[in-house]
Amino acid sequence: MVADNFYNMVFPVLSLMPIWALMIICCLLKKGQLCPGQRSRFQGELITIWTILGLAVMMGFESSVPTWVLIFGIIASVYGILLSIWQGKLPGKRSIPDQAIYFSLIPLSIFGLGVVLFSGLLSVLPMIVAGSVLANLLLVKAKHRFPVFNQILPAIGVTATIITLIVMMFLLTTGQSSELSGDQINDFMWFIGFLVGGMFLWLLPTLSSNPQSHTLLGIATFLILVSQVLATEFMTRLIML
């Protein structure tokens, strides 16, 4: 991977984030006791996932990712957008069959595996962090009735973040050079700044009596997304030392 290529840094996180979020929502569609109205609202929020996925695929054409990976991404994003159009045309609280959404996981799984092969296993941690906050945002926007997920998803994000920091320290201590350059220190400080800001907004309702706000979660999602892109770049540079 070329560390200085902007698209190579953004593409893995932006591609894998919606896949992880969709897997969480599919679990709720499969296992959750959802009324017709809530099921319809859940499906209505999936357009965000397909939009992010489509944007990631477009960025993929500017990166060094193999074409076959992008083909499966195109298939998944087009299929997902068609599902959202179908769901949007249904009257009232009706929803499309959940199985139609589950089928999207087939091309998405191949696409996701291709992205991991291209970017390396370290891309899994940013996927979990960014995907969990995105899933939390979509659930709150859908006015979900699973308050426990407002604690579970941030806990998953915090755990993956701690593991990411441990991996960074391991890569630093086992590399050929244990000293960071000025640019690397600057990148790390930016990563910490965006991460702390995003995590604070994400965890604020958990640490207080305030309800979850999709506005704050939207800002937190953006900040955490940027932090995970910076984390990907930082870890890639450490590997290349």
Side-chain angles (χ1 to χ4, degrees), residues 36-189:
Q38 184 153 47
R39 188 174 299 275
S40 177
R41 291 196 300 272
F42 274 28
Q43 294 184 4
E45 295 298 331
L46 294 183
I47 186 61
T48 300
I49 288 178
W50 310 127
T51 302
I52 295 175
L53 182 64
L55 177 61
V57 171
M58 287 189 290
M59 284 192 170
F61 284 102
E62 299 296 331
S63 70
S64 56
V65 65
T67 303
W68 69 266
V69 176
L70 298 177
I71 291 175
F72 283 100
I74 292 172
I75 294 173
S77 58
V78 171
Y79 177 75
I81 290 173
L82 291 176
L83 288 182
S84 290
I85 293 174
W86 178 15
Q87 196 275 336
K89 290 182 177 295
L90 296 178
K93 299 180 179 180
R94 295 181 60 189
S95 58
I96 63 176
D98 292 339
Q99 288 75 11
I101 299 174
Y102 302 154
F103 280 132
S104 68
L105 294 174
I106 299 176
L108 273 178
S109 298
I110 301 175
F111 173 67
L113 288 174
V115 173
V116 172
L117 289 174
F118 154 73
S119 56
L121 288 176
L122 290 179
S123 60
V124 173
L125 290 170
M127 173 192 74
I128 294 174
V129 178
S132 295
V133 68
L134 176 61
N136 204 174
L137 170 63
L138 298 182
L139 292 179
V140 170
K141 288 184 65 179
K143 300 177 180 178
H144 71 105
R145 298 174 183 174
F146 302 95
V148 66
F149 274 82
N150 291 335
Q151 284 78 44
I152 292 177
L153 293 176
I156 293 174
V158 169
T159 302
T161 298
I162 293 173
I163 296 174
T164 299
L165 293 173
I166 294 174
V167 170
M168 286 181 178
M169 295 302 103
F170 174 78
L171 292 175
L172 180 60
T173 56
T174 58
Q176 295 181 0
S177 175
S178 59
E179 295 183 1
L180 297 177
S181 66
D183 289 340
Q184 290 171 327
I185 294 175
N186 186 58
D187 290 343
F188 182 76
M189 296 306 296

